[in-house]
Amino acid sequence: MVVASPLPIRQERVRALGIPVVDLGEKRGLRAEEEIVRACEEFGFFKVINHGVPEEIVGVMEAAAMGFFGLPSSEKERAGPPSPLGYGIRSIGLNGDTGEVEYLLLPANRAAVTQRASSICRRNPGYFSRVVAEYVDAVRGLAGDILEMIGGGLHLQDRSVFSKLACNDESDSLIRLNYYPPCAEDKEREEMKEVHRIPAKGDAVVVGFGEHTDPQVLTVLRSNDAPGLQVLFPPDADGGGGVWVPVAPDPSAFFIIVGDVLQAMTNGRLLSARHRAVVSNVRARLSTVYFAAPPLQAPIAPLLEMVGSRRCGVYKPFTWGEYKKAMYALRLGHNRLDFFRQNQDDAQEQAVPKSF
């Protein structure tokens, strides 16, 4: 049984800092691999440009998503309620988390999307299925390339160990469409905003999607030109300290986020980034998020190459299915990996130093 620990209480600080940027068009060699690993160690997050995903595929996916969120509420509700997949609004997950967001969460699987498409797009379900499938194929390829580059940058004997785990036919990967309306719309939404405010230095901010880490291996995120994404820096596995860094929107780029599974497999060397979305008062924000995940029965444990001959692993072995069960039992902001740590008495002996 998983017992939830109290959510962290932090002093809100927001500051503009430079976000790591990797240009995949110019360099895919050792230098790029080292840059990616360094960004994953320091931020757990980076931006990729010249990524090779065709603009047309991205544009069509965004148009299809906006078409869905523009439907009347009665139409959208045909795709919900989320359990956990499907359409949801404001209520996030199963444990009382809320935010100013509408979303559609789907399996990143062509057959499963096709099965659900008639409840999402009654006018042309086949078209919606094709659009999602083409987008998923493209971003899955990008995720696989980046995971192989991470393996190369870590000098693993099998550089494809992460990509084979997250990008195979049995993977439990998901795609999520998030829509954040401008925060000032009508009286009802103004009243709801009061529930979703968090204190900050200066003006309060309205939470679109609350602070969390992504549980999977790797996240590939793309948004339109509206601001809202913030990343906690420096990453802190204990959920304390740091400042919130606003991420400038760039519709031509993708943002890569380290997930909990990758942190566990690298024995804590790469850090799962804590991030959140706040709501713009100017324009709606749309994000399309691909979560690269292992198969449900896949064993997850620190790689021997990450542990070393004289050190114990920081995390106990678990399966992805076990981790998902823990995830659904906890609030959004909890540190799920804490429940899979080895004996805390050995914590200081388990720290793995960076090699760069």
Side-chain angles (χ1 to χ4, degrees):
M1 177 179 179
V2 174
V3 179
S5 57
L7 288 172
I9 299 175
R10 67 173 83 252
Q11 177 67 37
E12 289 292 320
R13 292 181 293 163
V14 179
R15 187 173 71 208
L17 293 173
I19 296 294
V21 179
V22 178
D23 187 340
L24 294 183
E26 295 182 355
K27 48 193 178 184
R28 282 183 180 259
L30 181 60
R31 182 180 174 189
E33 292 175 353
E34 291 178 344
E35 287 182 0
I36 287 175
V37 168
R38 189 174 298 113
C40 292
E41 289 177 329
E42 296 176 356
F43 259 92
F45 176 92
F46 61 96
K47 170 180 168 179
V48 290
I49 59 175
N50 295 319
H51 40 72
V53 177
E55 292 182 10
E56 180 180 359
I57 289 178
V58 172
V60 171
M61 182 70 257
E62 179 173 312
M66 291 299 288
F68 171 77
F69 290 117
L71 292 172
S73 296
S74 59
E75 289 287 311
K76 290 182 286 191
E77 288 168 0
R78 286 168 47 88
S83 58
L85 304 182
Y87 170 73
I89 179 168
R90 296 197 179 104
S91 179
I92 301 170
L94 307 175
N95 295 296
D97 292 293
T98 58
E100 284 293 294
V101 61
E102 292 184 55
Y103 63 90
L104 185 63
L105 182 62
L106 300 170
N109 175 288
R110 185 185 294 263
V113 173
T114 298
Q115 187 176 14
R116 292 172 173 269
S118 59
S119 66
I120 299 170
C121 181
R122 285 200 295 175
R123 292 185 178 180
N124 198 341
Y127 173 76
F128 183 85
S129 298
R130 288 193 300 274
V131 167
V132 173
E134 289 179 0
Y135 185 85
V136 166
D137 286 347
V139 294
R140 180 190 289 119
L142 177 59
D145 288 347
I146 290 171
L147 287 169
E148 291 217 7
M149 295 177 77
I150 290 173
L154 291 171
H155 309 293
L156 300 180
Q157 184 174 359
D158 180 5
R159 61 180 288 134
S160 64
V161 62
F162 302 129
S163 61
K164 287 189 295 188
L165 179 69
C167 300
N168 68 55
D169 292 338
E170 301 298 321
S171 75
D172 190 43
S173 300
L174 299 171
I175 184 166
R176 183 177 188 124
L177 310 176
N178 290 328
Y179 177 71
Y180 305 92
C183 62
E185 283 191 348
D186 53 38
K187 182 178 180 181
E188 178 184 2
R189 185 164 293 277
E190 286 292 324
E191 292 172 352
M192 288 297 298
K193 278 168 40 183
E194 296 304 319
V195 179
H196 303 146
R197 287 187 186 275
I198 53 177
K201 189 176 181 179
D203 294 334
V205 296
V206 178
V207 178
F209 206 102
E211 173 186 346
H212 64 286
T213 62
D214 292 338
Q216 294 87 353
V217 181
L218 196 78
T219 299
V220 180
L221 182 151
R222 186 258 171 200
S223 67
N224 63 357
D225 58 353
L229 179 62
Q230 296 184 349
V231 180
L232 190 68
F233 180 77
D236 188 334
D238 295 323
V243 298
W244 286 106
V245 180
V247 178
D250 184 348
S252 67
F254 283 92
F255 296 95
I256 308 301
I257 306 172
V258 172
D260 294 346
V261 167
L262 193 54
Q263 177 172 321
M265 293 185 70
T266 59
N267 210 33
R269 177 169 168 181
L270 306 188
L271 296 180
S272 184
R274 299 188 73 83
H275 54 288
R276 69 184 184 188
V278 298
V279 182
S280 168
N281 61 0
V282 177
R283 56 174 288 125
R285 180 171 181 266
L286 175 75
S287 65
T288 308
V289 193
Y290 173 75
F291 301 104
L296 285 173
Q297 298 306 315
I300 308 299
L303 298 175
L304 291 178
E305 293 165 272
M306 294 285 96
V307 173
S309 59
R310 294 181 298 174
R311 295 183 181 276
C312 297
V314 175
Y315 302 103
K316 303 173 185 178
F318 54 88
T319 67
W320 170 239
E322 290 170 338
Y323 200 70
K324 280 188 70 174
K325 184 177 180 180
M327 174 185 73
Y328 289 134
L330 297 172
R331 296 289 299 274
L332 189 64
H334 282 122
N335 294 303
R336 309 173 192 96
L337 276 176
D338 283 352
F339 296 99
F340 296 88
R341 283 183 174 270
Q342 297 283 8
N343 192 324
Q344 291 298 305
D345 293 340
D346 299 330
Q348 292 184 349
E349 296 297 325
Q350 294 164 352
V352 178
K354 299 173 184 177
S355 63
F356 293 130

